Amino acid sequence: MQKVSQLKSITFALFSTLLLFWSVGVNAHENEQSNAKQQAATLLDNLNTFSANADWDNYFSLYADNGIFIGTDVNEHWDKAQFEQYARPTKGWRYDLTSRKMTQHGDVIWFDEILHSDAYGVSRGTGTLINTAQGWKIAQYHLSFPIPNQIAKEITKQITAAQPK
C-alpha cells in the first residue's frame, strides 16, 4: 500500500513538472511573438513617420532588398528601386494610423492597418514583414482605398471608364 502511495506521489510530481515546463515554453513563445509584433508595429510607425518627413534613406531601409510596393493605381506595382525613383523627388506623404491588426507565423508577420490622410481620407495598408538577419523588413506593402459596399458599383464603373482602351 505504501508503494502505491509513493508511486502516486511520484507520478503526480512528474506530471506537475511536465505541466510546469510546458507552460513555461508556451509563455516563452507568447512573449517572443509579442516582442516580434512590438518590433513590427514600431517599424510600421516609423514607415509613416519617415514618409511624412521625406526621410527616404531611413524609409527605404525598412524594406527588404527585394521588397515591393503596390500603390492605389493599377499600374503601381514597383520593386524597391522603382518605388525609390518615384518617392525621392517628392516631399513625402502623411498617413496617420487609425487601427492595425497583425498575425505572426514564424518569421513572417502580415498586417492590415487603417490609415487617414488629409489628402485622401481613409485608406488601408496591408502587407507582409519578414524577419531577416537585419531584423524585420517589409517584403510587401499595399496601399488601397477601402470602398464602402453601397457605392462600390458606382466607383468601379468610374475606374473602368478611366482605364485606357
Side-chain angles (χ1 to χ4, degrees):
M1 191 67 149
Q2 188 176 15
K3 286 186 179 186
V4 171
S5 179
Q6 286 177 335
L7 186 56
K8 285 181 179 179
S9 294
I10 291 170
T11 302
F12 179 75
L14 285 172
F15 179 74
S16 297
T17 302
L18 287 173
L19 187 59
L20 175 65
F21 283 128
W22 175 80
S23 68
V24 167
V26 167
N27 287 337
H29 178 71
E30 288 174 355
N31 287 341
E32 186 178 303
Q33 281 201 329
S34 176
N35 186 38
K37 286 182 180 179
Q38 287 174 349
Q39 291 172 12
T42 299
L43 180 147
L44 293 169
D45 291 344
N46 286 340
L47 185 76
N48 291 327
T49 299
F50 296 151
S51 67
N53 295 317
D55 182 351
W56 301 125
D57 290 339
N58 282 318
Y59 181 87
F60 285 104
S61 74
L62 302 176
Y63 279 82
D65 290 339
N66 60 351
I68 61 168
F69 178 87
I70 303 169
T72 57
D73 188 281
V74 72
N75 298 309
E76 295 175 342
H77 187 278
W78 297 322
D79 64 26
K80 185 177 175 180
Q82 292 168 321
F83 188 34
E84 283 190 72
Q85 286 179 333
Y86 167 81
R88 286 194 181 272
T90 74
K91 294 181 180 179
W93 48 84
R94 181 179 174 145
Y95 289 89
D96 296 314
L97 179 66
T98 301
S99 67
R100 179 183 294 139
K101 296 175 184 168
M102 290 187 282
T103 303
Q104 181 178 359
H105 184 73
D107 284 343
V108 177
I109 293 176
W110 54 92
F111 63 91
D112 175 6
E113 55 187 11
I114 304 300
L115 305 164
H116 180 270
S117 77
D118 289 342
Y120 296 106
V122 177
S123 62
R124 167 175 271 138
T126 61
T128 306
L129 306 175
I130 54 173
N131 198 5
T132 70
Q134 295 78 38
W136 289 98
K137 297 288 183 178
I138 298 167
Q140 176 197 325
Y141 192 96
H142 181 192
L143 182 65
S144 63
F145 301 128
I147 301 170
N149 289 334
Q150 64 267 25
I151 61 170
K153 286 187 180 184
E154 175 187 329
I155 298 298
T156 55
K157 282 180 188 176
Q158 291 178 37
I159 293 169
T160 300
Q163 297 304 311
K165 306 268 184 219

